[in-house]
Amino acid sequence: MTKNEAITKINLFDTSKKLTSKNTHWSNIVSYKSENGWWLNVPFEKFKNDLYLVLNQPNQEFLILIDILANSIENPENTFRNKDETADIFIPLNSNIFIDTQSNGTKYKFSNYQIIPYFEIKDSEIIEQTKLENNFEQNIQKSKNDSQEKRLMRLKKSNKKPSSVEVKSIQYKRNPDVVVEVLNRANGICEKCKIKAPFFRKKDNTPYLEVHHIVTLANAGDDTVENAIAVCPNCHRELHFG
């Protein structure tokens, strides 16, 4: 992840943000006095306008975005260590709070921040349906591998409304006669588990079963009665994901 990539990702993730190369200061993890953390040098004049600090955490695959509103720190030269008219800031990695620990500073605590995972989907992407689904499954696995503490930390700062993405998918023009013949053959009984359909369709009061291709159309299977079975929703999910 580079600074420019992070700026693009954050602006897409939260459209209320207006990050630029000028108002954004970026730091990877560095070692300072036997401690790992993020080191930033921010000119004091930058605090007169909205300012963003972006801390990269590649091992955990997320960014930390710290918002500093214009003039919210009235005297930055008296708040941070002064190094050639810049705020010399060091934020330790192993801490649940984001606080500047540089000597000769006031131990300023940055309280306005967001956690932004690398794997958030970009709004501007146009991706294939299968890629979207695979991304989601991979992201679930990444979340499982994290500790509950890290998940709760991300959830605390995550958007409650999901972003949207334009999806490109391939749809097959299926033969309706195949669907009708397979459903008639099943006569309301799942052809896998042999149990009655779980409910009736509201539109026509017929038993709800789904037509599944034994060799999928995506794998060059035929759209024929012989290559299809009628199954209940549970069995259909099992056939695809079990």
Side-chain angles (χ1 to χ4, degrees):
M1 181 76 66
T2 66
K3 177 182 177 180
N4 287 338
E5 288 172 340
I7 288 173
T8 300
K9 172 179 279 292
I10 292 168
N11 285 335
L12 290 170
F13 177 78
D14 187 345
T15 55
S16 69
K17 308 299 182 190
K18 303 296 180 185
L19 277 69
T20 69
S21 59
K22 291 183 178 181
N23 67 12
T24 304
H25 286 262
W26 159 271
S27 178
N28 282 304
I29 296 172
V30 298
S31 182
Y32 175 70
K33 292 184 178 180
S34 302
E35 189 170 24
N36 290 330
W38 298 277
W39 201 345
L40 302 111
N41 295 118
V42 184
F44 291 135
E45 63 181 19
K46 294 289 187 74
F47 290 89
K48 296 177 182 178
N49 302 300
D50 289 347
L51 178 64
Y52 302 100
L53 308 182
V54 179
L55 315 180
N56 188 25
Q57 173 51 294
N59 292 337
Q60 302 299 330
E61 295 192 344
F62 63 76
L63 301 168
I64 299 157
L65 172 66
I66 296 175
D67 290 27
I68 303 175
L69 298 177
N71 296 311
S72 60
I73 302 177
E74 294 182 358
N75 298 299
E77 62 274 11
N78 296 326
T79 302
F80 305 103
R81 189 172 78 161
N82 188 334
K83 181 181 179 182
D84 300 325
E85 295 303 309
T86 67
D88 189 25
I89 300 169
F90 184 77
I91 302 172
L93 174 63
N94 296 319
S95 174
N96 291 327
I97 57 176
F98 301 105
I99 187 168
D100 174 38
T101 61
Q102 279 286 45
S103 58
N104 302 323
T106 59
K107 311 299 182 187
Y108 184 83
K109 179 181 177 182
F110 299 97
S111 57
N112 190 17
Y113 64 88
Q114 279 182 280
I115 305 296
I116 303 176
Y118 278 6
F119 50 79
E120 287 289 343
I121 301 262
K122 296 178 181 178
D123 289 1
S124 65
E125 287 184 334
I126 300 177
I127 61 176
E128 294 180 3
Q129 179 71 34
T130 52
K131 181 181 177 183
L132 179 67
E133 292 171 355
N134 289 339
N135 270 342
F136 188 55
E137 291 299 324
Q138 290 169 9
N139 294 340
I140 290 173
Q141 190 58 49
K142 287 180 182 178
S143 179
K144 286 181 179 178
N145 292 337
D146 274 345
S147 65
Q148 185 181 33
E149 181 183 4
K150 290 174 183 175
R151 284 193 296 272
L152 294 177
M153 188 177 183
R154 290 198 297 265
L155 284 170
K156 186 178 179 181
K157 293 294 178 178
S158 65
N159 286 342
K160 292 181 173 60
K161 299 294 184 183
S163 59
S164 61
V165 61
E166 187 175 345
V167 176
K168 178 177 68 176
S169 63
I170 297 174
Q171 299 289 332
Y172 294 94
K173 295 181 179 180
R174 295 169 57 185
N175 189 335
D177 291 335
V178 171
V179 173
V180 173
E181 283 299 312
V182 171
L183 290 175
N184 285 345
R185 182 183 67 200
N187 195 27
I189 305 296
C190 174
E191 293 186 295
K192 185 175 187 300
C193 68
K194 311 304 181 185
I195 296 175
K196 288 183 179 181
F199 57 90
F200 293 90
R201 285 183 173 85
K202 185 182 295 186
K203 64 180 180 181
D204 58 11
N205 204 37
T206 58
Y208 183 85
L209 294 174
E210 299 170 353
V211 175
H212 169 77
H213 289 86
I214 299 167
V215 179
T216 64
L217 302 181
N219 288 325
D222 293 333
D223 189 19
T224 61
V225 173
E226 295 75 21
N227 187 46
I229 56 174
V231 291
C232 66
N234 279 348
C235 286
H236 202 182
R237 290 306 244 180
E238 182 184 2
L239 287 167
H240 282 284
F241 301 107

